[in-house]
Amino acid sequence: MIRRHLLISLGTLLFLFLALPSIPLHLLLFVANLSTSFSSASWIGFGELEVRGIQQGSALRIKTVSIRLGPSFLRGHFANLRIYGAEGWLSRLEKPSSSGKSLPIHIDHLLVAESTLFLDNLGPGIPVTPLRLGDTTPLLFTDVHFGSSKKTTTPTLQSATIERLIFYSPSDPLAPVLAFPKIDVVFTWDELVQHQIRSLIISHPTIYLGDDLFAFVDRIQEKKSAPQTPTTPYKIGNFNLNDGQLAVSINGQPVLPLPVRFAAEQKNLELSDFTQLQLSTRFTIPSSDINYPAYDLSVANLRGNLFFSLGQDSKGQRAKNVVPTLFADQITYRKLTAQNLSIAVTVNSQGIYGRANALLGGGSLDGGFTLEFRPDLPWSAWSSTSDMESRVITDALTPGTFQLRSTVDAIVNVNAQGKNIRGAYGTISFRNGGQLAIPALQAAEDRIPADWNWIKQGSARAALGVIRNYNFSEGEIRAVYHPPGGRLTLNLRGPEGKRDITLNWLPPSS
């Protein structure tokens, strides 16, 4: 009789489990001490339960969960759990809403697809950023466990790839300021709960240099000035950043990618929030050779450092700039080569400012440039040389046609808006004399018509000879360009007399 009643009880219980699939789920939530609610549940196969409309307080909402139940599910062990359409808030997930002792959860295989994790605790002033999970390829984790665990074996390493994490300007929701196409994370679940990450690798990030970036920084700085609740820092065992790129952004749109890449590597990195990354990490520009065949331009062994002072510097002082410092063994344009190049650039909310120096033709070359973050993209550049041997330039740029032998001082200045040159001028001074030769004029002399009379032929040859070879003791070349035309003036003085030449240039339509 007892056996019969037992069978009836088990049968009734089984019937209730099958007819009312929410019963085992309510039992599990009760045992696990979780304040989780759901709207409906149904069996979708033998031992497989589909739960819809799940909510964990204000921290987590899930559209659908598929659970494969086994004999030990009331002990918190699941063979498979699939999550679809979840929305979670990171700061709230880190604060458990249940009180008392909770049942440890162990999942053999956890799959997450078409979900969003809202990063709302990256640091003061950083806006809530949606992170898409499992959009193109579902994330699959194995041997997942939450809560206290009695496992004595080595925890299973987990890996996840985060794609397309983008931060936007607070003044323009369509203007990116930081873009992270790919982030690879390696962790164990036990360590992650304790804010420890084995490895964090950021690949191909882009920093958009412009007024939107500094508006983003201003927002962070304003929020940071308010009292902050202490938080547990994250400890990262190995941090790597690879193939980072800088791009100039105007009006919220990238307009000029800069030809440098930056990287970083550090062990045992500790961060209280995302904004501390710039203060804790040394960014380098790895050595590389750059070639632009279309412009006949190459740079050998370009390298350097990248410093961020966004919000505050390492001494706690307010600062807002990005400072790349570049070095190169040589830069070659056509056959003209400058050596020992160094460039220091400062980027702030107003624009980009740079200084450069190098060795050229036995002398020194100094220069600078300014690019303003304004809609018409105004910029200017200047350069000066001293004690440079001019034949280095003419032999490289005008071989066999125009030759100048002298030690020169020179200065050049250009003002422009975008691609349009608004004005330019330059001066070349020959203080120690030299020699001017224009071998190309020999071809003009050879083409003097044979039917000219001897006086006309002689006058032409004499005029060409005066210019073709000339020794001078001092001189100057001045060039001025004001659209649409320009003027070049050559004044030379020497024992053979004066040579004063003025060339005016106007566009063909003038």
Side-chain angles (χ1 to χ4, degrees), residues 47-267:
E48 189 165 355
L49 188 66
E50 183 177 272
V51 188
R52 293 170 291 276
I54 300 173
Q55 185 151 343
Q56 172 75 21
S58 62
L60 180 65
R61 294 196 300 262
I62 306 177
K63 183 178 180 181
T64 306
V65 172
S66 172
I67 308 173
R68 180 169 293 278
L69 302 177
S72 56
F73 82 93
L74 287 179
R75 297 201 302 268
H77 183 207
F78 303 95
N80 292 287
L81 192 146
R82 297 180 176 88
I83 297 176
Y84 301 93
E87 292 183 347
W89 283 260
L90 184 58
S91 66
R92 304 171 194 173
L93 290 171
E94 292 181 342
K95 299 175 182 178
S97 57
S98 62
S99 59
K101 188 176 181 180
S102 297
L103 178 72
I105 302 295
H106 179 211
I107 306 168
D108 291 339
H109 297 91
L110 171 64
L111 183 142
V112 180
E114 301 173 2
S115 299
T116 303
L117 178 62
F118 291 95
L119 307 178
D120 58 347
N121 63 347
L122 293 179
I126 297 182
V128 177
T129 303
L131 177 61
R132 300 293 300 172
L133 302 175
D135 260 2
T136 54
T137 303
L139 297 177
L140 177 63
F141 304 102
T142 60
D143 196 23
V144 179
H145 54 91
F146 302 102
S148 59
S149 174
K150 297 180 180 180
K151 290 184 60 174
T152 58
T153 58
T154 303
T156 302
L157 282 178
Q158 310 289 336
S159 63
T161 298
I162 300 169
E163 298 179 338
R164 300 186 302 278
L165 176 60
I166 302 175
F167 296 94
Y168 293 91
S169 166
S171 55
D172 185 350
L174 298 179
V177 295
L178 299 170
F180 301 92
K182 183 182 180 184
I183 302 175
D184 293 303
V185 186
V186 177
F187 59 94
T188 70
W189 291 106
D190 285 340
E191 293 173 347
L192 188 62
V193 171
Q194 300 172 13
H195 283 207
Q196 296 179 15
I197 297 174
R198 292 286 182 97
S199 172
L200 180 67
I201 301 174
I202 302 175
S203 301
H204 316 298
T206 300
I207 300 174
Y208 296 95
L209 303 175
D211 50 358
D212 285 305
L213 173 65
F214 294 98
F216 182 78
V217 172
D218 284 339
R219 175 171 174 162
I220 293 174
Q221 189 63 31
E222 290 172 3
K223 298 294 184 180
K224 257 196 166 181
S225 61
Q228 303 296 320
T229 303
T231 58
T232 304
Y234 273 93
K235 298 179 180 180
I236 304 172
N238 292 285
F239 171 79
N240 290 86
L241 186 147
N242 303 316
D243 199 27
Q245 184 176 359
L246 301 173
V248 176
S249 179
I250 304 294
N251 294 330
Q253 296 299 317
V255 296
L256 179 64
L258 301 182
V260 294
R261 295 290 190 270
F262 64 92
E265 181 177 357
Q266 187 166 334
K267 294 185 180 299

Side-chain angles (χ1 to χ4, degrees), residues 311-493:
Q312 64 178 15
D313 59 21
S314 58
K315 297 180 180 179
Q317 302 297 316
R318 289 194 64 143
K320 289 192 302 181
N321 54 49
V322 179
V323 183
T325 304
L326 302 172
F327 305 92
D329 289 350
Q330 65 181 38
I331 178 171
T332 301
Y333 173 65
R334 295 186 181 179
K335 295 182 179 179
L336 179 63
T337 298
Q339 298 176 321
N340 296 342
L341 174 69
S342 66
I343 303 175
V345 180
T346 298
V347 184
N348 61 26
S349 59
Q350 304 300 315
I352 304 177
Y353 310 90
R355 288 293 303 269
N357 59 75
L359 300 178
L360 178 64
S364 62
L365 171 67
D366 297 288
F369 64 89
T370 297
L371 172 68
E372 296 182 45
F373 294 142
R374 287 165 41 190
D376 53 353
L377 203 64
W379 61 271
S380 62
W382 64 270
S383 68
S384 66
T385 61
S386 60
D387 297 326
M388 182 187 69
E389 176 52 61
S390 59
R391 65 178 297 173
V392 173
I393 296 178
T394 59
D395 287 354
L397 303 182
T398 59
T401 58
F402 181 87
Q403 298 171 354
L404 188 61
R405 306 288 187 264
S406 179
T407 301
V408 303
D409 297 333
I411 185 169
V412 177
N413 192 296
V414 179
N415 292 285
Q417 289 178 321
K419 296 181 180 179
N420 301 316
I421 304 298
R422 297 303 185 188
Y425 68 86
T427 302
I428 302 176
S429 301
F430 311 103
R431 294 180 301 173
N432 301 318
Q435 181 184 45
L436 171 67
I438 310 177
L441 293 180
Q442 181 62 49
E445 183 176 338
D446 294 340
R447 289 196 299 271
I448 294 176
D451 56 353
W452 285 5
N453 60 48
W454 65 272
I455 297 177
K456 194 174 182 179
Q457 288 184 3
S459 298
R461 289 191 176 92
L464 293 173
V466 165
I467 305 175
R468 187 176 61 200
N469 291 286
Y470 175 68
N471 294 311
F472 58 91
S473 56
E474 61 178 345
E476 185 179 63
I477 296 177
R478 297 186 303 276
V480 177
Y481 174 67
H482 289 295
R487 172 179 294 182
L488 185 144
T489 303
L490 172 66
N491 302 115
L492 301 176
R493 302 290 183 267

